Amino acid sequence: MPRERQKRGRKAAAASQNTAETTPEPNDHKRRRLSNTLPSDEAEFQADVSHAPSAERPFYGNLDDEEQEYFKRADDMLEVNNFGNPEDRQLFLANVYKEAAGKELKLACSQSCSRLLERLILLSSPNQLKTLFQKFNGQFLNLVQHRFASHCCETLFIQSAPLVTQELVADRNDAETNQDSDEVVASMENLFLFAINELHDSLGFLMTDNFASHTLRVLLTVLAGQPLDQASSRSLLRSRKKQGVEVDGLEKPKENVLATRSVPDAFTSALENIVVDSVASLGSNQLWAMATHPTGNPTLQLLLKLELTRLKSHLKEETSITHRLIPSDALTQEGSEAAGFVNGLLYDPIGSRLMEQIVEHAPGAVFKKLYRQCLKDRLGSLARNEVAGYVVVKILNRLSADDLQTAVTSIIPQIPSLAERSRTNVIKALVERSYARNLDTKQLKTALQTAYAKPKGTSFSIHRFLQLPDELPGNDSDTDADSVNSLSLAPAPASSRSEVPPSTPSQHHASLLAQAMLTQPSPLSTLILASLTPLPSPTILHIAHSTALSPLLQAALTCPAADLITRRKLITRLYGSIASLALTPGGSRLVDSIHAGTAGMAFARERVAEELAEAEDSLRENQYARKVWRNWRMDLYKRRYGEWVRMTRREAGNGAFQSFPGVDPAESLRSRHGGTKAVANGLSTDPRRHGLAEKQSQAFRCGSKGEDGGRDEGKQHKTPLEKAREKHAKVNKLQTTQMQAQSQKLHGKGETRRANSGGGGGRGRAGSSSGGNAASSTTAAAASSSVR
């Protein structure tokens, strides 16, 4: 036998001795706060539940080389799923099942072929699933503890769960005959009950087994009829390191994502027996130790959740998990073990997740008692802690309006420290619950304004809030929007249009907080919108290209608190970069939001469509830009422009546009575009637009040329557009006066020459006058274009 390679020398020996002395026990640092309450029973608990029975696990044999090669090729074909039709695939599956007959247990325990069995389960018919279920019966206890076979059992339970509901709803027969043999196949309900009976006596150590605990959670979820593929329950059912087995082009069954599933009464009875018997042999201290066990904690979370939601009648008994974890009588006693256990769970990285389940699903009476005795007075300090802050979020979601107002008052002093450490989850929960309970948010606005104030002032800094780079323009400057107007309208540099800036988790959390603040019109939404609109174009484009920050601009363009002027300012900052934004994942969603944000601004929607049309070739080659092209209906824009314009103006409207009085919109467009585009836009064929312009002209003349009272009333109600018209009229009048004075000077100097030339002077005066009128009309046209 070859010897094991060992390091030699005094340094290696000393290092190994020091390592043995200083190496802590597994997860000892995670239970640091509970060590003083559980000194004696934790080691006993580890010895009792962390190991399987001493009986040796059976060995099912290995596949030979030819079998492994065949099943490997079959696995590759199923992964690609490149079959001509479903019938060809079913025929291939039948052949693979025929070759795997009698070798199912070998496949499940094989490192290289267990993935093939999972893909077979994903594509199998109900009869094939039942056949495989029967092959596993009697061996589930060993399979769920195997490193590779446990994944096959999980997939089998998940794919078989919808069949139980189908048989229950359709009232099928309890026995069906297999098509390939004369063997009688039991119903899926009975097959599950057989597996539960096999595992029932070993629940104690299965809860803490590294592989069996995941399969046990899936089985409990199936019995409860809860969704099997949902974000809220995904962390409880599977590990983060799990590598999913998928088949290309295979759609997930809708039954797996339903909110609830109908289950037979036998499943409810079996679930109640499992919840009671799984912890019946554990004492209180052992149960507390499992609350901080890395593998046992998720299983205990699921058991507690099922007891609080599905087995509420069992809560009043002293044998319930809730009563044994948190005795109601012991909480009233200061310094009791139960109170120390609750305090330890709040700060423990693993135990806090169990506390979240208790707070979220506990009955109202239990929660109120727990909140008033253990949590209410410490809410501010709990919010400051990184681990306990997640429990505080769950607490805020259950408080009434009065209790929430008290909680806001106690947490507001901690907001500066939370902002400094980028812990925005508690602040986000405060904002959302304040909106839900219709509380005043002025205190929150003042606290956030102080926490994210500029270094040289007291105003809110969006740069500090979003943690933007210091080199971006407008950073921590106290200047207003007029001082950066030229920079805001300037085109962005090429680097900001082509490079997607990396984002950090802190920026992502800040963006989520800002989006929560924009959901309702309030002082908080006004704070965010007022800080976004003065930003220059390079900064806005940096936010737009960022994957984490781009949803903030999307929310700002579509939130109910954003008025037309705010949306117009934000969209104007993006002019010239619409095409480059459409090429990125975050920017493409922002361009889609611009389509909804241009409500009331049909002219802005046409401007964005022009930029998209100019970059048609590059947009059609990008997967994200193709969606933008389809959502903006750019094919209709390119082929039938007039129809697209009429549809856009009918959907978006032109609330921000008003024509000049006395000016025909159709004639104005004909003079600028040669008449063809105006007719295509449908402006010259609509008599209602001419009538509207005439009414506007008459109203303006009555307001400006009426009697004294009418003039005073018109002056009191002048709009910014009317003031701009008056300003341009004064400019035109001044230019006309100067040109007339110039012509008079020329007339005085050339009197003798004009007398000798006879009628030429008249022609000269007429030409000068016509030139003056042409210049005046050109100036008026430019003024009209600028006002528009």
Side-chain angles (χ1 to χ4, degrees):
M1 292 293 293
R3 293 184 179 180
E4 181 183 0
R5 297 183 60 183
Q6 298 179 353
K7 294 183 178 181
R8 294 179 295 177
R10 291 175 295 178
K11 293 184 179 180
S16 61
Q17 183 178 1
N18 293 336
T19 304
E21 293 177 355
T22 58
T23 301
E25 296 181 1
N27 308 300
D28 181 64
H29 64 286
K30 298 180 180 179
R31 296 193 295 273
R32 183 180 301 116
R33 296 181 180 270
L34 297 179
S35 58
N36 54 353
T37 61
L38 308 173
S40 58
D41 293 326
E42 185 171 355
E44 181 183 354
F45 163 75
Q46 297 289 345
D48 289 342
V49 301
S50 297
H51 303 283
S54 58
E56 295 183 0
R57 297 178 185 177
F59 177 67
Y60 303 108
N62 295 326
L63 299 171
D64 56 27
D65 295 340
E66 294 181 0
E67 292 173 343
Q68 289 186 0
E69 185 65 25
Y70 171 79
F71 290 126
K72 181 60 178 175
R73 291 198 305 267
D75 186 25
D76 295 337
M77 294 183 65
L78 290 177
E79 182 180 6
V80 177
N81 195 21
N82 191 15
F83 297 96
N85 49 56
E87 289 76 11
D88 295 343
R89 187 176 65 186
Q90 291 299 329
L91 181 61
F92 179 77
L93 288 176
N95 292 331
V96 175
Y97 266 110
K98 186 176 181 180
E99 290 292 333
K103 306 170 187 175
E104 293 86 357
L105 299 178
K106 293 182 181 180
L107 287 172
C109 298
S110 174
Q111 180 178 3
S112 58
C113 299
S114 60
R115 288 177 174 270
L116 167 65
L117 189 57
E118 289 190 63
R119 288 192 176 91
L120 284 176
I121 295 172
L122 291 175
L123 299 171
S124 295
S125 63
N127 283 335
Q128 291 171 339
L129 289 176
K130 292 180 180 180
T131 302
L132 186 60
F133 218 121
Q134 280 193 322
K135 297 291 184 180
F136 283 2
N137 267 337
Q139 303 296 330
F140 274 114
L141 181 59
N142 300 316
L143 293 178
V144 297
Q145 300 178 66
H146 195 274
R147 179 179 180 182
F148 307 115
S150 60
H151 296 284
C152 299
C153 294
E154 287 183 39
T155 308
L156 181 61
F157 291 157
I158 292 175
Q159 296 300 317
S160 302
L163 300 181
V164 178
T165 305
Q166 293 176 8
E167 292 180 353
L168 184 64
V169 174
D171 194 17
R172 295 181 179 178
N173 296 328
D174 292 339
E176 294 181 359
T177 305
N178 197 339
Q179 298 177 355
D180 299 334
S181 64
D182 297 334
E183 183 182 0
V184 177
V185 181
S187 65
M188 192 59 71
E189 176 186 350
N190 292 333
L191 292 175
F192 269 106
L193 293 177
F194 293 155
I196 293 168
N197 293 332
E198 183 180 351
L199 302 176
H200 187 273
D201 296 335
S202 305
L203 294 175
F205 67 85
L206 292 180
M207 292 174 61
T208 56
D209 187 82
N210 291 332
F211 307 116
S213 60
H214 299 278
T215 311
L216 181 60
R217 290 174 228 158
V218 172
L219 185 58
L220 290 173
T221 307
V222 171
L223 295 178
Q226 293 188 346
L228 296 167
D229 190 8
Q230 196 177 35
S232 60
S233 59
R234 193 173 300 163
S235 60
L236 288 177
L237 298 182
R238 64 187 64 176
S239 173
R240 295 181 181 179
K241 300 180 182 179
K242 180 178 175 60
Q243 299 178 359
V245 176
E246 298 179 354
V247 178
D248 292 344
L250 179 64
E251 298 181 358
K252 294 183 178 180
K254 295 182 179 180
E255 291 85 356
N256 288 0
V257 295
L258 292 176
T260 55
R261 288 177 290 105
S262 300
V263 293
D265 297 336
F267 277 20
T268 305
S269 302
L271 178 64
E272 184 175 358
N273 294 332
I274 291 177
V275 172
V276 174
D277 298 340
S278 59
V279 296
S281 60
L282 300 178
S284 297
N285 289 344
Q286 292 177 338
L287 196 60
W288 292 349
M290 182 178 285
T292 56
H293 192 276
T295 308
N297 177 271
T299 309
L300 187 59
Q301 287 184 53
L302 185 57
L303 291 173
L304 183 64
K305 179 181 177 181
L306 294 177
E307 183 183 74
L308 294 174
T309 56
R310 304 280 299 183
L311 307 174
K312 295 183 179 180
S313 59
H314 184 63
L315 294 176
K316 299 179 181 180
E317 301 179 5
E318 295 183 357
T319 57
S320 64
I321 301 177
T322 306
H323 186 271
R324 295 178 61 186
L325 280 175
I326 309 176
S328 57
D329 300 335
L331 290 178
T332 58
Q333 304 174 5
E334 296 183 359
S336 61
E337 291 185 357
F341 168 71
V342 172
N343 296 335
L345 283 184
L346 292 172
Y347 296 100
D348 190 84
I350 299 176
S352 60
R353 299 179 181 271
L354 183 64
M355 198 65 191
E356 291 180 36
Q357 297 291 339
I358 296 174
V359 171
E360 183 177 3
H361 300 289
V366 178
F367 170 74
K368 289 180 181 179
K369 198 170 190 179
L370 178 64
Y371 174 70
R372 292 172 183 173
Q373 295 177 358
C374 299
L375 304 174
K376 183 177 181 179
D377 298 335
R378 308 168 51 201
L379 211 56
S381 60
L382 292 176
R384 189 172 60 249
N385 186 267
E386 182 180 6
V387 176
Y390 293 97
V391 183
V392 173
V393 172
K394 298 294 184 180
I395 294 173
L396 295 175
N397 291 334
R398 295 205 58 178
L399 293 181
S400 61
D402 297 335
D403 292 336
L404 181 62
Q405 185 63 52
T406 305
V408 170
T409 306
S410 61
I411 296 177
I412 278 181
Q414 309 298 333
I415 288 182
S417 62
L418 294 175
E420 184 179 359
R421 302 173 185 177
S422 301
R423 298 174 184 171
T424 58
N425 56 339
V426 177
I427 305 176
K428 178 173 173 288
L430 285 178
V431 173
E432 293 174 348
R433 298 310 301 170
S434 297
Y435 285 163
R437 297 296 186 181
N438 296 324
L439 299 183
D440 189 9
T441 57
K442 291 182 179 179
Q443 294 181 352
L444 279 175
K445 175 190 175 182
T446 305
L448 289 173
Q449 205 166 5
T450 305
Y452 294 101
K454 297 180 180 180
K456 299 181 180 179
T458 58
S459 58
F460 182 77
S461 174
I462 193 66
H463 282 76
R464 185 179 176 188
F465 182 80
L466 299 178
Q467 300 183 10
L468 299 177
D470 297 336
E471 60 269 13
L472 287 177
N475 183 20
D476 294 339
S477 61
D478 295 330
T479 56
D480 54 1
D482 296 335
S483 61
V484 295
N485 189 28
S486 59
L487 184 61
S488 301
L489 300 178
S495 60
S496 64
R497 296 196 300 265
S498 60
E499 298 179 1
V500 178
S503 56
T504 61
S506 300
Q507 289 180 330
H508 180 68
H509 290 296
S511 176
L512 292 177
L513 174 58
Q515 295 173 51
M517 297 167 65
L518 291 173
T519 52
Q520 290 188 11
S522 66
L524 295 175
S525 59
T526 305
L527 180 67
I528 295 295
L529 293 175
S531 60
L532 283 176
T533 49
L535 292 178
S537 293
T539 306
I540 291 292
L541 289 175
H542 179 94
I543 298 175
H545 281 287
S546 175
T547 307
L549 302 179
S550 176
L552 171 58
L553 289 180
Q554 301 175 30
L557 291 174
T558 57
C559 69
D563 55 3
L564 189 142
I565 297 176
T566 301
R567 288 185 278 114
R568 180 178 60 81
K569 288 182 178 180
L570 292 176
I571 295 174
T572 304
R573 302 288 193 273
L574 301 174
Y575 284 165
S577 302
I578 300 296
S580 62
L581 284 173
L583 300 175
T584 60
S588 61
R589 296 186 181 92
L590 178 59
V591 177
D592 290 338
S593 299
I594 292 176
H595 189 275
T598 51
M601 298 182 291
F603 63 92
R605 188 174 292 186
E606 294 178 20
R607 168 68 183 273
V608 174
E610 289 178 3
E611 293 192 26
L612 294 176
E614 292 176 357
E616 179 180 3
D617 296 337
S618 60
L619 295 181
R620 289 187 180 275
E621 296 176 356
N622 186 275
Q623 58 176 341
Y624 306 108
R626 283 195 293 267
K627 297 180 181 179
V628 174
W629 187 271
R630 182 174 62 253
N631 295 337
W632 277 78
R633 304 171 187 172
M634 293 303 297
D635 289 331
L636 181 64
Y637 177 90
K638 297 287 290 186
R639 297 171 183 174
R640 296 189 296 273
Y641 175 75
E643 183 178 348
W644 186 91
V645 170
R646 289 192 295 271
M647 178 191 65
T648 299
R649 295 186 178 180
R650 182 175 62 253
E651 293 178 356
N654 246 345
F657 175 78
Q658 295 181 12
S659 61
F660 284 102
V663 179
D664 188 1
E667 293 296 336
S668 177
L669 282 178
R670 286 195 195 99
S671 63
R672 293 171 59 189
H673 302 287
T676 305
K677 189 173 182 180
V679 174
N681 292 345
L683 295 175
S684 60
T685 59
D686 193 352
R688 293 176 296 177
R689 294 184 179 271
H690 302 279
L692 178 62
E694 185 64 26
K695 290 180 181 179
Q696 291 178 349
S697 176
Q698 292 177 1
F700 181 75
R701 294 191 188 99
C702 293
S704 58
K705 296 182 179 180
E707 297 180 356
D708 296 338
R711 279 196 299 268
D712 295 339
E713 184 178 359
K715 291 180 181 179
Q716 292 176 359
H717 299 283
K718 287 182 179 179
T719 63
L721 187 61
E722 292 175 347
K723 294 180 181 179
R725 291 169 183 157
E726 290 184 358
K727 180 179 178 180
H728 287 291
K730 292 180 181 179
V731 172
N732 293 338
K733 184 177 181 181
L734 180 61
Q735 290 180 351
T736 304
T737 305
Q738 291 177 353
M739 294 181 66
Q740 290 177 355
Q742 230 175 359
S743 63
Q744 289 178 1
K745 289 182 181 180
L746 293 174
H747 175 73
K749 292 181 180 180
E751 184 177 358
T752 305
R753 191 186 313 170
R754 287 195 301 273
N756 295 333
S757 61
R763 286 194 298 273
R765 285 191 295 271
S768 175
S769 176
S770 63
N773 293 335
S776 177
S777 63
T778 303
T779 307
S784 173
S785 176
S786 64
V787 171
R788 296 193 184 195

